[in-house]
Amino acid sequence: MANALYDTGRAAFLNADVDWTADNIKAVLVDTALYTVNLTTDDFLADIAVGARIATSGNFAGKTSTAGVADATDVTFSAVTGASVEALVIYKDTGVAGTSQLIAYIDTATGLPVTPSGGDITVVWDNGANKIFKL
């Protein structure tokens, strides 16, 4: 699979249900042996099995939105242990998995896959024209 936006995530932006710069946006490291992405039907964090969620970031900092391009400060996941990580998912965190809107699925990036060893995992977002993603 290639990096992509969830269909309901795109709709959430269009319906003003996701505000990139104001909402709590996080990423979760995902073991794809326990999660098969479905960009059409997966809506919320609850659609990703708890066992597939290896580590969750804090809220993104330094978020910007220019010409439909989303960017943020690089993210560090601290002291990560667990199964191999093949993807990361960006989502709006509401504090409830059943309402935390999935936004983007990324499985093609430098450093993926990665096997956690108890150390930190830093995600360096692309500095090209599309940054993290472009709507």
Side-chain angles (χ1 to χ4, degrees):
M1 163 132 257
N3 301 343
L5 298 176
Y6 288 88
D7 287 351
T8 59
R10 279 196 297 257
F13 277 105
L14 292 173
N15 294 324
D17 294 328
V18 172
D19 182 330
W20 178 258
T21 57
D23 289 338
N24 292 332
I25 305 294
K26 294 183 178 181
V28 60
L29 299 176
V30 176
D31 174 8
T32 60
L34 299 176
Y35 172 65
T36 301
V37 65
N38 187 322
L39 297 169
T40 303
T41 62
D42 292 348
D43 302 303
F44 303 109
L45 185 59
D47 291 322
I48 302 173
V50 172
R53 300 182 224 157
I54 305 305
T56 302
S57 74
N59 291 327
F60 285 14
K63 294 177 290 182
T64 61
S65 169
T66 305
V69 176
D71 198 11
T73 304
D74 298 340
V75 173
T76 299
F77 296 83
S78 299
V80 181
T81 60
S84 176
V85 171
E86 297 81 23
L88 68 92
V89 172
I90 298 170
Y91 66 98
K92 172 187 171 178
D93 182 30
T94 64
V96 177
T99 61
S100 291
Q101 179 67 58
L102 299 177
I103 297 170
Y105 180 85
I106 300 172
D107 68 350
T108 305
T110 301
L112 286 177
V114 61
T115 301
S117 63
D120 294 350
I121 296 175
T122 300
V123 176
V124 178
W125 303 119
D126 186 2
N127 288 320
N130 293 331
K131 309 287 184 194
I132 299 174
F133 64 83
K134 182 177 184 177
L135 290 179

